[in-house]
């Protein structure tokens, strides 16, 4: 692509922009139109006045590609429809890459998760994604959509709460019966308290289980505190220790972790390369490997997921969901206990190895995020539909009844909205729309659904179950756009709920008897039915 070798030398004084006047095409259409006009110029075969050979400054092309084609699918369309973008660009350091592949690689390099990877690690990721930088970019972007990595987070754990600020600082509050707040004591905290022992460490993701907390730093290190066992059931086990300050999980050294999920009897982590590792709960190969229940050494989840890049994991009561980003599209796999049909395979049978939920293909639905409740599960699709399945007790599936659904089923009452986020708990489901509105259904215990607000409405109505998703009007009245909902996923603790808004404000409602709402309750109160502003600086 050296124009000097085959055509006249370009003179900077003759440079003029192409088609500046009038309305301009954008994105792929603009690039394809420009490509069709200037393909000969790029190879130095013409010197028409008013145009310039792109090869004289190849970074211009790459810049236009990366700025206009932010979607990996756009890059794929360029190669599919225009031979110019399929040819080797002859750019160093890899002269064999096409322009669209170079653009994809450039966008990968802009991401914090990709930058620290070695050349060998990047090539390994590329191969596992299907041998293309466009597919790697798709994998990275899918992970960014699934959960709030490197963004503000609020986690409503069982009896305690975690908040991660924009700068990576961590606040914890609520119950500390096992040291799960990390402040060095077993004292309850009724107000958000900064975790000072991790100052200087930037946390990008957090998760909570009964009596335990896990935090992940921007360097992929995992800190854990609370119950010192990954395999204890919710009610605790004999002889388990308590760790009341954050400790690095040494057994994960060498694994760059980006997400953790705490279920019952097990814990799972996801590496930046898309591999899933689990601790404990491996007896009889229940999670694709065979270990002792108290084993704290991470084991790679083998079987169908061994060579498929996973972008998100979600853990419920004795089961695990994994969202993969494959060259053929997005897919959900499940493994573990099938009670209530929560694995989504049409049966109540357990699965000892990860198995793909094939019903999404029948529904013509492309899942982009998964949520695992205690006994039921949900996904959000690319087109904004919501599917739920599993045990439908109290109406948590949103289908108007309490029936079990053994296969994913679209929530028909939400067809008028486009969902962008879903959260599931112990028999509760919340959905956030693209307009920032929130719908909820399921068990009304602890007032965690947020539908009723005043004492005049009566305690019985305040705890009413909701069989179909209803608008949470108490949040809408706040005139805030909600981005994320987090709710307690536990069968042994009363639930509470967080609503994180785009303004940076955080609201809480539901059970607050241990201080998990971040606010003091009156002597005769154990919960709040209306969203209360949490006094915390998230900036």
């Amino acid at each position: 692509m050296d124009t000097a070798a085959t055509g006249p030398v370009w003179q900077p004084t003759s440079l003029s922009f192409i088609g500046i006047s009038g309305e301009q095409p954008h994105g792929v259409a603009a690039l394809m139109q420009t490509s069709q006009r200037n393909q000969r110029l790029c190879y130095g075969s013409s010197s028409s006045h008013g145009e310039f050979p792109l090869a004289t400054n190849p970074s211009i092309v790459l810049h236009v590609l990366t700025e206009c084609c932010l979607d990996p699918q756009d890059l794929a369309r360029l190669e599919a429809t225009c031979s110019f973008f399929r040819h080797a660009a002859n750019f160093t350091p890899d002269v064999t890459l096409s322009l669209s592949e170079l653009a994809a690689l450039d966008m990968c390099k802009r991401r914090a998760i990709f930058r620290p990877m070695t050349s060998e690690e990047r090539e390994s990721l590329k191969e596992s994604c299907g041998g293309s930088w466009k597919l790697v970019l798709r994998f990275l972007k899918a992970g960014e959509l699934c959960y709030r990595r490197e963004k503000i987070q609020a986690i409503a754990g069982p009896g305690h709460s975690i908040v991660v600020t924009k700068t990576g600082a961590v606040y914890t509050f609520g119950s500390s019966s096992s040291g799960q707040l990390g402040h060095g004591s077993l004292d309850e905290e009724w107000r958000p308290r900064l975790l000072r022992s991790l100052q200087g460490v930037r946390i990008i993701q957090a998760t909570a289980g009964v009596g335990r907390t896990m935090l992940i730093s921007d360097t992929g290190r995992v800190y854990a505190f609370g119950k010192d066992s990954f395999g204890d059931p919710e009610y605790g086990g004999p002889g388990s220790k308590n760790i009341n300050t954050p400790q690095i999980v040494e057994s994960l050294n060498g694994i760059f972790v980006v997400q953790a999920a705490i279920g019952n009897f097990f814990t799972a982590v996801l590496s930046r390369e898309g591999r899933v590792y689990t601790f404990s709960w491996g007896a009889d190969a229940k999670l694709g490997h065979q270990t002792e229940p108290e084993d704290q050494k991470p084991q790679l989840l083998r079987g169908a997921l061994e060579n498929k890049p996973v972008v998100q994991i979600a853990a419920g009561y004795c089961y695990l969901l994994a969202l993969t980003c494959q060259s053929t599209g997005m897919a959900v796999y499940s493994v573990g206990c099938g009670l209530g049909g929560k694995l989504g395979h049409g049966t109540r049978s357990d699965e000892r190895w990860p198995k793909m939920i094939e019903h999404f293909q029948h529904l013509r639905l492309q899942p982009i995020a998964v949520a695992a409740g205690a006994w039921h599960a949900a996904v959000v699709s690319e087109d904004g539909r919501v599917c739920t399945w599993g045990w439908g007790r109290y109406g948590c599936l949103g289908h108007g009844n309490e029936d079990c659904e053994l296969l994913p089923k679209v929530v028909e009452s939400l067809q008028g909205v486009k969902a962008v986020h879903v959260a599931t708990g112990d028999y509760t489901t919340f959905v956030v729309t693209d307009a920032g509105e929130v719908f909820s259904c399921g068990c009304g215990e602890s007032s965690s659904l947020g539908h009723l607000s005043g004492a005049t409405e009566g305690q019985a109505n305040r705890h009413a179950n909701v069989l179909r998703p209803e608008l949470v009007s108490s949040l809408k009245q706040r005139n805030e756009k909600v981005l994320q909902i987090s709710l307690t996923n536990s069968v042994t603790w009363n639930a509470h709920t967080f609503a994180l808004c785009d303004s940076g404000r955080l609201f809480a409602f539901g059970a607050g008897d241990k201080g998990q709402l971040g606010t003091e309750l009156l002597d005769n109160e154990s919960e709040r039915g209306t969203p209360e502003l949490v006094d915390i600086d998230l900036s």
Side-chain angles (χ1 to χ4, degrees):
M1 292 179 62
D2 184 359
T3 57
T6 56
V9 175
W10 171 59
Q11 299 295 329
T13 55
S14 66
L15 172 64
S16 63
F17 292 100
I18 304 171
I20 295 299
S21 61
E23 186 174 347
Q24 300 300 307
H26 298 283
V28 173
L31 289 167
M32 290 173 60
Q33 181 176 323
T34 304
S35 167
Q36 291 165 359
R37 288 203 310 265
N38 299 318
Q39 185 171 358
R40 289 182 301 120
L41 298 181
C42 293
Y43 291 94
S45 56
S46 177
S47 59
S48 301
H49 181 70
E51 297 178 335
F52 65 94
L54 298 178
T56 58
N57 192 347
S59 62
I60 293 177
V61 183
L62 187 58
H63 175 74
V64 173
L65 277 169
T66 54
E67 293 302 320
C68 294
C69 297
L70 297 181
D71 192 326
Q73 293 180 350
D74 285 347
L75 295 174
R77 292 189 193 103
L78 281 174
E79 285 197 348
T81 56
C82 182
S83 60
F84 166 62
F85 292 101
R86 288 198 300 270
H87 290 155
N90 200 30
F91 292 171
T92 57
D94 190 338
V95 297
T96 65
L97 291 181
S98 66
L99 277 174
S100 60
E101 278 286 279
L102 281 170
L105 177 57
D106 181 69
M107 285 186 278
C108 288
K109 290 178 179 178
R110 299 184 185 189
R111 285 161 165 79
I113 189 176
F114 188 84
R115 283 197 295 268
M117 297 178 73
T118 65
S119 298
E120 292 77 12
E121 289 170 337
R122 291 178 179 182
E123 287 297 328
S124 177
L125 177 60
K126 179 182 175 183
E127 289 306 309
S128 68
C129 288
S132 164
W133 292 120
K134 294 187 295 295
L135 294 177
V136 173
L137 177 60
R138 184 185 179 194
F139 165 76
L140 296 176
K141 289 174 70 69
E144 293 167 359
L145 287 173
C146 290
Y147 52 94
R148 299 182 59 81
R149 186 178 64 223
E150 301 185 60
K151 297 180 180 179
I152 298 172
Q153 299 175 39
I155 309 298
H160 72 290
S161 303
I162 313 163
V163 174
V164 181
T165 71
K166 187 176 182 180
T167 60
V170 177
Y171 291 81
T172 61
F173 45 101
S175 172
S176 190
S177 57
S178 300
Q180 62 265 42
L181 297 187
H183 298 302
S185 73
L186 303 183
D187 298 333
E188 295 175 355
E189 297 287 344
W190 287 74
R191 297 285 181 181
R193 181 179 173 185
L194 179 65
L195 196 56
R196 297 189 181 279
S197 62
L198 286 181
Q199 286 186 306
V201 177
R202 183 168 182 261
I203 299 300
I204 62 170
Q205 203 261 334
T207 190
V210 174
R212 62 173 68 90
T213 301
M214 296 182 76
L215 306 174
I216 300 170
S217 75
D218 60 348
T219 60
R221 304 300 297 272
V222 179
Y223 297 81
F225 42 102
K227 286 196 296 186
D228 187 29
S229 173
F230 293 105
D232 279 349
E234 287 202 340
Y235 49 79
S240 60
K241 297 185 300 182
N242 296 327
I243 304 296
N244 54 26
T245 57
Q247 303 291 323
I248 290 178
V249 181
E250 299 290 349
S251 61
L252 284 169
N253 286 347
I255 302 174
F256 195 111
V257 176
V258 295
Q259 189 196 355
I262 300 175
N264 298 78
F265 304 95
F266 78 101
T267 298
V269 297
L270 176 65
S271 76
R272 65 179 173 185
E273 296 83 13
R275 298 188 182 97
V276 180
Y277 298 82
T278 61
F279 300 85
S280 307
W281 200 54
D284 300 322
K286 290 178 181 176
L287 279 179
H289 53 76
Q290 190 168 359
T291 61
E292 295 300 320
E294 66 274 10
D295 190 359
Q296 295 192 25
K297 182 179 179 181
Q299 301 288 335
L300 179 64
L301 185 56
R302 300 190 183 277
L305 288 180
E306 194 167 352
N307 296 307
K308 292 181 174 63
V310 175
V311 297
Q312 183 198 4
I313 54 176
Y317 197 89
C318 302
Y319 76 107
L320 180 72
L321 299 178
L323 177 67
T324 67
C325 182
Q326 304 168 194
S327 58
T328 55
M330 306 292 285
V332 179
Y333 289 75
S334 62
V335 61
C337 172
L339 185 64
K342 60 182 182 282
L343 297 185
H345 301 303
T347 71
R348 292 178 171 85
S349 302
D350 297 348
E351 293 293 339
R352 300 170 67 182
W353 303 92
K355 182 179 179 180
M356 186 174 74
I357 301 178
E358 298 178 351
H359 195 61
F360 291 120
Q361 298 175 351
H362 173 75
L363 295 174
R364 299 182 181 277
L365 183 147
Q366 186 84 200
I368 60 171
V370 299
W375 302 99
H376 72 292
V379 303
V380 175
S381 72
E382 191 176 33
D383 59 9
R385 288 182 288 171
V386 174
C387 276
T388 60
W389 67 95
W391 199 352
R393 194 177 183 187
Y394 305 120
C396 62
L397 299 184
H399 301 307
N401 54 49
E402 297 188 49
D403 297 341
C404 289
E405 294 292 342
L406 306 184
L407 293 169
K409 181 178 179 180
V410 175
V411 181
E412 299 292 343
S413 60
L414 289 173
Q415 282 193 334
V417 301
K418 182 177 181 179
V420 295
H421 173 70
V422 64
T424 49
D426 180 18
Y427 303 120
T428 51
T429 301
F430 279 72
V431 173
V432 180
T433 73
D434 59 348
E437 295 181 329
V438 179
F439 293 78
S440 69
C441 62
C443 180
E445 188 176 351
S446 306
S447 303
S448 62
L449 293 181
H451 289 305
L452 301 175
S453 56
T456 58
E457 292 155 334
Q459 195 74 0
N461 289 334
R462 184 169 175 166
H463 290 164
N465 301 326
V466 178
L467 301 184
R468 287 188 175 87
E470 293 182 3
L471 179 68
V472 183
S473 56
S474 59
L475 278 173
K476 188 174 179 63
Q477 291 168 4
R478 295 285 187 169
N479 294 320
E480 296 272 4
K481 181 178 181 180
V482 176
L483 298 177
Q484 178 210 13
I485 290 286
S486 177
L487 57 152
T488 305
N489 182 3
S490 167
V491 298
T492 58
W493 284 81
N494 290 332
H496 68 292
T497 304
F498 284 137
L500 180 62
C501 305
D502 67 347
S503 63
R505 299 207 295 173
L506 178 66
F507 293 90
F509 50 97
D513 55 312
K514 299 295 182 181
Q516 61 266 48
L517 296 180
T519 183
E520 296 276 357
L521 299 182
L522 301 177
D523 291 339
N524 62 342
E525 285 185 319
S526 61
E527 60 191 43
R528 289 283 172 88
T530 54
E532 299 287 341
L533 182 65
V534 180
D535 185 14
I536 186 172
D537 181 8
L538 296 177
S539 61

